[in-house]
Amino acid sequence: MIWNFQLGIVPLPINMLPFINTTASLTFLLTGVPGLEAFHTWISIPFCCLYATALSGNSMILFVIITEPSLHEPMYYFLSMLSTTDLGLSISTLVTMLGIFWFNAREISFNACLAQMFFIQLFTVMESSVLLAMAFDRFVAISNPLRYATILTESRIAQIGVVIVTRGTVILTPMVVLLKRLSYCSSHVLHHSYCFHPDVMKLSCTDTKVNSAVGLAALISTAGVDSIFILLSYVLIIKTVLSIASPMERQKAFSTCISHIGAVAIFYIPLISLSFVHRFGKQAPPYVHTLIANAYLLIPPVMNPIIYSVKTKQIRKAVLKVLLPKGS
């Protein structure tokens, strides 16, 4: 309320109320697939298959790398980091997504929403960072094979892992914490089956320019910077490979990068597709946005174990050794 000497007490417009909702009691409503609510049970079947594939595949990769001594090399240590981030990314969305499809459990508290958002973003940023580290690993292996083991020691790889986690945490914490300063006085319905930073911002009735700027800076300083350095790494790798005299050796050197190129493609192509749909696909049905957003988070965890099991001979042999023991 405000006091006007001519009119008396006048209600303050809703978009000027700074604390219309306290974040402690705030609840959001998640959305499944808009327009297809009647088919959520059926839609859950392919999603369950994707989650089962992602969880079992990445767990298997981690298991064979830990238990197989021949895989205790830099390349496979980085692959284990990639599988760990994929597991974290899958688990971060599993509960809310299947909860909506199976039980129509749409409610999520504000703090739980922030926690889910933080971990989804953290594992996404970590995946981008790991892909960059793997590009560096391939560059060192091809350009300086004699010093490969001395450059990428176990302690140095552990340090890289710590830097990856720290970098993501430091960059993303302000983005998530700044959402607490906003007031939420419009609809509490989110447009995805998980908490997505732009979605939550749109529900605020206060100025979100700072939040948008911090979110954009986080995106540019993580996936944007990583993609540039990954591209630069492959320019240097191609230059090194072309300098090799033997065609057979050139083919062998480049073949070690195929799996990583596939992992980079399935990470960045859905990300770019999602950006294009949000920007240019405003006429598309709502379920198209939702399905692409869900695919963006599910495709890398599902496809990475498949790519590395098919394209990497050592991983394939180790997996078959576990699945088909000699005694069976």
Side-chain angles (χ1 to χ4, degrees):
M1 297 291 187
I2 58 174
W3 183 269
N4 184 299
F5 286 102
Q6 293 180 334
L7 301 176
I9 296 175
V10 179
L12 193 65
I14 193 166
N15 62 356
M16 293 177 65
L17 286 172
F19 302 107
I20 193 78
N21 275 320
T22 59
T23 56
S25 59
L26 188 60
T27 301
F28 291 130
L29 292 176
L30 300 169
T31 300
V33 183
L36 299 176
E37 288 83 1
F39 303 98
H40 272 182
T41 303
W42 293 103
I43 293 171
S44 72
I45 295 174
F47 277 99
C48 283
C49 293
L50 291 173
Y51 275 115
T53 303
L55 295 174
S56 60
N58 286 291
S59 297
M60 176 62 75
I61 294 288
L62 274 176
F63 177 77
V64 298
I65 291 174
I66 291 170
T67 57
E68 185 61 47
S70 65
L71 298 180
H72 293 176
E73 296 179 6
M75 175 183 173
Y76 303 110
Y77 288 141
F78 287 123
L79 178 56
S80 69
M81 291 183 193
L82 187 67
S83 292
T84 302
T85 60
D86 282 339
L87 281 172
L89 195 56
S90 300
I91 293 168
S92 297
T93 59
L94 174 68
V95 175
T96 55
M97 197 176 291
L98 294 186
I100 291 169
F101 289 146
W102 286 348
F103 310 111
N104 197 32
R106 297 179 59 198
E107 290 192 0
I108 185 169
S109 70
F110 180 74
N111 288 329
C113 185
L114 290 190
Q116 184 187 45
M117 182 194 308
F118 174 78
F119 283 110
I120 290 173
Q121 296 287 104
L122 176 63
F123 287 120
T124 302
V125 168
M126 285 174 60
E127 179 137 356
S128 175
S129 302
V130 171
L131 289 172
L132 174 58
M134 295 174 85
F136 175 70
D137 167 78
R138 290 298 83 209
F139 170 66
V140 174
I142 291 171
S143 65
N144 206 341
L146 297 179
R147 295 188 58 207
Y148 178 59
T150 57
I151 292 173
L152 289 172
T153 60
E154 290 188 4
S155 62
R156 194 159 290 165
I157 292 170
Q159 290 170 0
I160 291 172
V162 171
V163 169
I164 287 171
V165 176
T166 305
R167 176 203 189 204
T169 304
V170 169
I171 291 174
L172 296 174
T173 298
M175 186 183 79
V176 175
V177 170
L178 281 171
L179 290 172
K180 280 183 166 285
R181 75 181 184 87
L182 302 178
S183 57
Y184 300 89
C185 47
S186 57
S187 168
H188 292 168
V189 179
L190 298 169
H191 295 110
H192 295 85
S193 51
Y194 52 85
C195 289
F196 188 46
H197 184 257
D199 255 5
V200 176
M201 278 198 308
K202 287 177 184 176
L203 300 184
S204 172
C205 56
T206 47
D207 185 26
T208 59
K209 288 179 183 176
V210 173
N211 298 73
S212 297
V214 171
L216 181 61
L219 179 63
I220 292 171
S221 61
T222 53
V225 170
D226 292 348
S227 61
I228 292 170
F229 279 107
I230 290 171
L231 182 61
L232 178 61
S233 297
Y234 271 98
V235 169
L236 297 174
I237 287 171
I238 292 170
K239 184 180 177 182
T240 303
V241 170
L242 292 177
S243 67
I244 299 173
S246 168
M248 188 70 71
E249 289 297 318
R250 282 203 299 264
Q251 183 179 353
K252 183 180 177 182
F254 196 69
S255 67
T256 63
C257 301
I258 297 299
S259 298
H260 180 255
I261 292 171
V264 171
I266 63 171
F267 178 79
Y268 282 102
I269 289 175
L271 175 61
I272 295 168
S273 302
L274 182 61
S275 300
F276 269 94
V277 168
H278 274 292
R279 183 172 292 274
F280 303 112
K282 299 189 186 298
Q283 303 302 319
Y287 65 82
V288 172
H289 293 259
T290 304
L291 291 175
I292 290 178
N294 290 339
Y296 160 63
L297 292 181
L298 273 173
I299 287 176
V302 169
M303 292 303 299
N304 282 334
I306 296 173
I307 289 172
Y308 276 92
S309 296
V310 171
K311 292 294 184 181
T312 308
K313 182 180 178 182
Q314 293 85 343
I315 293 291
R316 184 170 65 250
K317 286 175 63 178
V319 170
L320 290 175
K321 184 178 176 182
V322 172
L323 296 178
L324 302 170
K326 290 182 179 180
S328 62

